Amino acid sequence: MISQLNNLFLSPAVSEKYSTFFRSPSSHMLFKIRCFRCSGPVRNNAEFSVIKSVVSPLVLVTVKVSRIARTDAQTALFHYLHCTRGFTFTDAEHISKNSPNFLQDLISKVESEQDMFRALSKFFRYHPINEFEPFLESLGLSPMESTSLLPRDLIFLSDDQVLLDNYQVLCDYGIPRSKIGRMYKEANDIFKYELGVLDMKLRAYEQLDLSRSNVIKLVTCSPQLLVGSVNNALIGVVEKLKELGFENDWIGGYLSSKNVYNWSRMLDTMHFLCEVGYSGNQMGLLFKTNPALLFEGSGKQVYVLVGGLLKLGLNMNDVYALFLKNPQILSPKCAKNFRKVVHFLFKIRMKPDNIAKIVSSHMNLMISHSLKGPKTVLRNFSGDKHVLRQTIEKDPLELFNLASKSDIHNIEHAASKNPSKYLEKTEFLLRIGYVENSDEIVKALKRFRGRGDHLQERFDCLVQAGLDCNVVSNMVKQAPTALNQMKDVHEKKV
């Protein structure tokens, strides 16, 4: 069997033994099928560009059509559409040059390749074509997509004048013909509007202070915007972006015809961020640095993150609190770090309840540190997930000591930034007399070691020993290392 198949591969050496004739079922033509023995590489000939295929039970044969024949076929189709059917020069030229699949099918239906123009001209006299097929293909739709969109009882475009009128409105407005196919597929109703309605809808979006180029991007990416009245969700998104300081044309720079946009979800995302405490400046910075958060998935990333937190067992109030205390959680880097930590904990089979506890108390650390993989960390535990899991559950900070890619010399200092469990070190320093945002407090943050609540505990130990509060404050300012020792050490010294 294998040797028989080898004899059927294309090559320059012809095996006439396997030559035979097959009849094309579509055109009633006789093709002489030559089977070739594989004896060398097949060379591409630049003269040939269009390929016709004939399939038999044993072999797939390709019959090449010259580039000249293809050009003649395009010219014949153009003359038929323009001279016989009355299409405008521009429309006839665009259709004939941008419907290669339809053109290839036409070529397969005529016998003579020597004079393709004459053969097709004769074919058109006796075989009227379905004009919707090349028309829809020229608009960017594949034959598979356009098949279900073909009218059942029409073959001439001129019989649907309403379609042509709305098509012309889109062309005159500046929408590329290759983009109109998606609009026809996703929002077919806009091609049924009465004269003047579609143009009015396009102008309505310009009244939102959007440039024509932006309106074109919007309606080609979201054709449903032209169905019904002006989309209120889009108006809300545009107005909200204006409030955040974005220029009107900013939105157009991030639209892509490859994406689908849900303007209602975008608006809901903005409202959610406002509810959880994002200020206008924070939200503006978030969208400027990470526009994909809004435009890729229409804010889906926010919903995925919120949904993940709820699945861990947190309630909505807890989620609000986390977003409020950690607004940077939605930045690409922080979101990636958070997902890695949760993935790490699930890999070592930690229960969702315990993961939720770590998320609630150590979110700041989770989003600010990138972790190693579970396999790397487990090497220090001989691969025992149970021991590693117990270690982390006993002291969650060990997770970052063991798995963080960066060296953390003072993990307690990082933890002190989490206000849900620890007293802020800054608050302690302000309490003992440092001035906020001063050079002194910046230096003090580096010199005082330990969590804010530990520093306060050690400070109170000295006060309880009989020293005046102001005296202790002045003492620790001059010698910050005095509070770097543990409470029990202070008690022994006293």
Side-chain angles (χ1 to χ4, degrees):
M1 176 62 74
I2 294 177
S3 62
Q4 290 177 353
L5 289 176
N6 284 336
N7 290 330
L8 299 181
F9 280 102
L10 296 176
S11 84
V14 180
S15 175
E16 295 294 345
K17 176 182 178 180
Y18 295 97
S19 295
T20 184
F21 283 88
F22 285 84
R23 182 176 295 274
S24 171
S26 60
S27 61
H28 305 288
M29 289 176 56
L30 290 177
F31 291 98
K32 185 174 183 181
I33 305 222
R34 291 184 176 183
C35 302
F36 302 91
R37 180 175 285 107
C38 185
S39 62
V42 179
R43 297 181 180 179
N44 295 326
N45 192 331
E47 181 186 358
F48 299 109
S49 58
V50 180
I51 298 177
K52 295 191 291 183
S53 299
V54 180
V55 181
S56 76
L58 296 177
V59 61
L60 175 65
V61 179
T62 58
V63 181
K64 295 181 179 179
V65 178
S66 68
R67 185 172 298 172
I68 295 175
R70 183 189 64 176
T71 303
D72 288 345
Q74 286 182 349
T75 305
L77 179 59
F78 167 78
H79 274 268
Y80 171 76
L81 295 175
H82 181 52
C83 302
T84 304
R85 298 293 304 134
F87 282 60
T88 65
F89 183 94
T90 303
D91 289 340
E93 182 182 44
H94 177 79
I95 293 174
S96 62
K97 289 186 176 182
N98 293 278
S99 53
N101 292 291
F102 180 79
L103 204 64
Q104 182 174 340
D105 185 57
L106 279 180
I107 294 173
S108 69
K109 293 178 180 179
V110 296
E111 298 182 11
S112 175
E113 190 178 312
Q114 298 301 321
D115 193 346
M116 184 63 67
F117 177 82
R118 186 173 182 179
L120 279 178
S121 297
K122 182 178 179 181
F123 175 84
F124 289 142
R125 292 193 200 107
Y126 305 102
H127 302 87
I129 63 174
N130 187 334
E131 297 170 3
F132 287 88
E133 292 182 22
F135 173 71
L136 294 179
E137 185 179 355
S138 71
L139 300 184
L141 294 175
S142 67
M144 185 176 296
E145 291 175 315
S146 61
T147 299
S148 60
L149 300 174
L150 295 174
R152 295 182 179 180
D153 53 349
L154 300 176
I155 63 171
F156 298 121
L157 280 170
S158 58
D159 290 339
D160 193 345
Q161 191 58 45
V162 175
L163 165 65
L164 292 178
D165 289 341
N166 286 294
Y167 164 73
Q168 195 59 48
V169 170
L170 296 176
C171 293
D172 292 344
Y173 193 76
I175 296 176
R177 286 176 167 84
S178 60
K179 304 287 186 183
I180 296 178
R182 177 179 177 179
M183 301 176 71
Y184 188 86
K185 178 182 176 182
E186 297 181 6
N188 188 263
D189 290 343
I190 67 178
F191 293 88
K192 301 175 182 177
Y193 288 143
E194 296 181 0
L195 192 62
V197 175
L198 182 56
D199 183 68
M200 179 182 65
K201 290 179 178 292
L202 290 167
R203 306 287 177 185
Y205 285 107
E206 289 186 18
Q207 294 178 4
L208 298 176
D209 293 331
L210 295 172
S211 64
R212 175 172 290 203
S213 61
N214 273 336
V215 174
I216 291 174
K217 287 183 178 181
L218 283 169
V219 298
T220 53
C221 294
S222 300
Q224 290 293 334
L225 292 175
L226 295 174
V227 178
S229 57
V230 177
N231 191 286
N232 291 325
L234 173 62
I235 295 175
V237 170
V238 172
E239 291 180 348
K240 186 63 179 178
L241 289 174
K242 286 181 182 179
E243 293 176 7
L244 297 177
F246 291 95
E247 297 180 357
N248 295 331
D249 291 338
W250 181 80
I251 191 173
Y254 297 96
L255 296 177
S256 171
S257 58
K258 297 180 180 179
N259 295 332
V260 177
Y261 298 97
N262 186 327
W263 301 101
S264 296
R265 188 162 67 191
M266 280 192 199
L267 188 60
D268 290 341
T269 299
M270 291 178 165
H271 288 160
F272 173 79
L273 294 177
C274 289
E275 290 176 7
V276 298
Y278 276 75
S279 65
N281 291 334
Q282 288 175 325
M283 199 183 307
L285 181 62
L286 180 66
F287 293 149
K288 285 179 181 178
T289 57
N290 186 22
L293 177 68
L294 192 62
F295 295 108
E296 290 185 10
S298 304
K300 184 178 180 180
Q301 182 180 331
V302 178
Y303 288 89
V304 170
L305 182 57
V306 172
L309 292 171
L310 293 175
K311 283 185 177 181
L312 290 175
L314 280 71
N315 59 45
M316 203 61 201
N317 290 331
D318 294 332
V319 175
Y320 282 156
L322 285 175
F323 274 81
L324 180 62
K325 295 169 184 174
N326 304 278
Q328 70 275 28
I329 191 175
L330 290 174
S331 69
K333 183 178 180 180
C334 291
K336 182 180 180 181
N337 289 341
F338 174 74
R339 289 193 297 269
K340 281 188 174 181
V341 175
V342 174
H343 174 75
F344 183 102
L345 297 176
F346 272 115
K347 277 291 185 180
I348 62 172
R349 299 177 183 175
M350 184 175 289
K351 295 181 179 179
D353 291 345
N354 291 329
I355 297 177
K357 291 178 182 178
I358 296 176
V359 169
S360 299
S361 57
H362 296 87
M363 176 61 84
N364 187 65
L365 287 174
M366 294 177 74
I367 63 179
S368 58
H369 294 285
S370 179
L371 299 188
K372 304 172 186 175
K375 292 182 179 180
T376 304
V377 179
L378 282 169
R379 291 172 187 168
N380 299 326
F381 292 84
S382 301
D384 194 331
K385 294 182 180 180
H386 177 71
V387 175
L388 175 58
R389 186 171 62 250
Q390 281 192 328
T391 302
I392 296 174
E393 289 175 351
K394 185 177 180 180
D395 184 5
L397 294 179
E398 284 298 312
L399 168 64
F400 306 98
N401 279 325
L402 294 168
S404 178
K405 290 183 178 179
S406 58
D407 294 330
I408 303 179
H409 299 293
N410 192 1
I411 198 68
E412 291 185 345
H413 168 66
S416 68
K417 295 180 181 179
N418 190 338
S420 63
K421 186 175 180 181
Y422 305 102
L423 178 65
E424 290 262 337
K425 184 187 291 188
T426 302
E427 292 180 3
F428 167 75
L429 296 178
L430 292 175
R431 194 176 292 112
I432 64 175
Y434 282 93
V435 179
E436 188 175 8
N437 297 326
S438 63
D439 293 336
E440 290 76 17
I441 198 171
V442 173
K443 295 178 181 178
L445 284 169
K446 298 178 181 179
R447 299 180 67 186
F448 284 89
R449 297 179 182 176
R451 299 200 310 244
D453 57 341
H454 286 176
L455 293 172
Q456 185 65 52
E457 188 179 57
R458 299 163 193 169
F459 183 91
D460 293 339
C461 178
L462 296 176
V463 174
Q464 291 170 5
L467 297 174
D468 182 75
C469 182
N470 293 328
V471 173
V472 177
S473 297
N474 292 328
M475 181 178 67
V476 297
K477 285 181 182 179
Q478 295 178 14
T481 54
L483 290 185
N484 291 344
Q485 298 173 338
M486 301 299 292
K487 179 183 176 182
D488 56 348
V489 176
H490 282 293
E491 289 175 344
K492 288 180 181 179
K493 290 186 175 180
V494 171

